[in-house]
Every structure is written in structure tokens, then in C-alpha cells.
């Protein structure tokens, strides 16, 4: 299985009053990429639920390095999984945030045209 790229624009709903991405939204962006990666490989969250399969994150550690801001275009990428569930990376050019999930490693950096 290959990786997946999801461009994400930062909208006002993603930010605090200062126009900086609210910390939990990095994780939302990463979860969207994971869901789209699954969709690319023929699985939807709904079909997995109906089959009795739930991809549950039960442990998470996150480090924030730099903020993303209103109107930034972020690149959220999945990495080729070495084991299930999978490894993820949310990237925005320079590292902004990284999260450690059990069996997954999202990272964020600035990016996109």
C-alpha cells in the first residue's frame, strides 16, 4: 500500500481569535488524511463499522513546534504503513506539530502551492 496526500486549507473555523490553528485541529487534519487513505484503498469508515471494525486511537502524544495560520495551505500525508493500523504524517513544509499515536506518527510542516 502506498501513501496518500491530502491538501487542507486553514479556515476561520480552524483558528482561535488570533488566526492561529487551534491545537486539536492538527489531529483532525491527520484523521481526515487517514480516512481518505482508507477510502483510496477501498475502505470507508462506515463499511468498517458495519463489518464490526473500529480504528480506535487509545494513546496519543503530541508536540507543537510552530503555528499554522488562517489561509495557510497544509499538506497532510500518510506514510506507507509498515504495520497495521498505519503510520501517518501531516506536513506543512517546516515542522509545525507532531503527534505520536500508538502505531502511527503524524507530523506537520508548512507546504503547498
Amino acid at each position: 500500500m502506498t501513501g496518500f496526500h491530502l491538501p487542507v486549507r486553514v479556515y476561520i473555523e480552524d483558528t482561535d481569535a488570533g488566526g492561529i490553528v487551534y491545537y486539536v485541529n492538527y489531529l483532525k487534519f491527520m484523521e481526515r488524511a487517514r480516512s481518505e487513505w482508507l477510502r483510496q484503498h477501498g475502505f470507508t469508515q462506515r463499511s468498517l463499522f458495519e463489518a464490526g471494525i473500529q480504528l480506535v486511537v487509545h494513546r496519543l502524544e503530541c508536540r507543537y513546534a510552530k503555528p499554522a495560520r488562517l489561509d495557510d495551505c497544509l499538506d497532510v500525508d500518510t506514510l506507507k504503513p509498515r504495520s497495521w493500523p498505519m503510520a501517518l504524517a501531516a506536513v506543512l513544509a517546516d515542522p509545525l506539530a507532531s503527534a505520536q499515536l500508538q502505531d502511527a506518527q503524524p507530523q506537520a510542516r508548512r507546504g503547498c502551492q
Side-chain angles (χ1 to χ4, degrees), residues 1-4 35-44 78 81 86:
M1 294 183 172
T2 60
F4 177 81
S35 294
E36 292 302 321
W37 179 88
L38 287 167
R39 185 179 311 280
Q40 181 184 43
H41 292 284
F43 302 98
T44 64
T78 65
M86 65 185 293

Side-chain angles (χ1 to χ4, degrees), residues 22 30 35 61 88 105 109:
Y22 186 64
M30 293 172 192
S35 294
E61 180 182 327
L88 296 174
Q105 292 184 319
R109 61 182 170 91

Side-chain angles (χ1 to χ4, degrees), residues 26 66-69 72-75 90-96 108-112:
Y26 292 102
K66 297 179 184 178
R69 299 179 186 280
D72 281 352
C73 186
L74 315 180
D75 294 320
V91 293
L92 305 131
D94 296 330
L96 299 181
R109 61 182 170 91
R110 278 192 207 287
C112 90

Side-chain angles (χ1 to χ4, degrees), residues 21-88:
V21 171
Y22 186 64
Y23 74 96
V24 75
N25 287 333
Y26 292 102
L27 302 176
K28 289 180 177 183
F29 301 152
M30 293 172 192
E31 179 59 26
R32 289 177 197 160
R34 178 173 79 152
S35 294
E36 292 302 321
W37 179 88
L38 287 167
R39 185 179 311 280
Q40 181 184 43
H41 292 284
F43 302 98
T44 64
Q45 294 288 356
R46 182 179 297 167
S47 68
L48 292 173
F49 287 158
E50 289 170 355
I53 300 169
Q54 294 184 17
L55 304 176
V56 178
V57 174
H58 65 91
R59 182 175 164 188
L60 171 72
E61 180 182 327
C62 194
R63 180 182 170 274
Y64 299 95
K66 297 179 184 178
R69 299 179 186 280
L70 180 62
D71 290 326
D72 281 352
C73 186
L74 315 180
D75 294 320
V76 183
D77 297 321
T78 65
L79 302 175
K80 183 178 179 183
R82 294 182 305 194
S83 63
W84 188 255
M86 65 185 293
L88 296 174

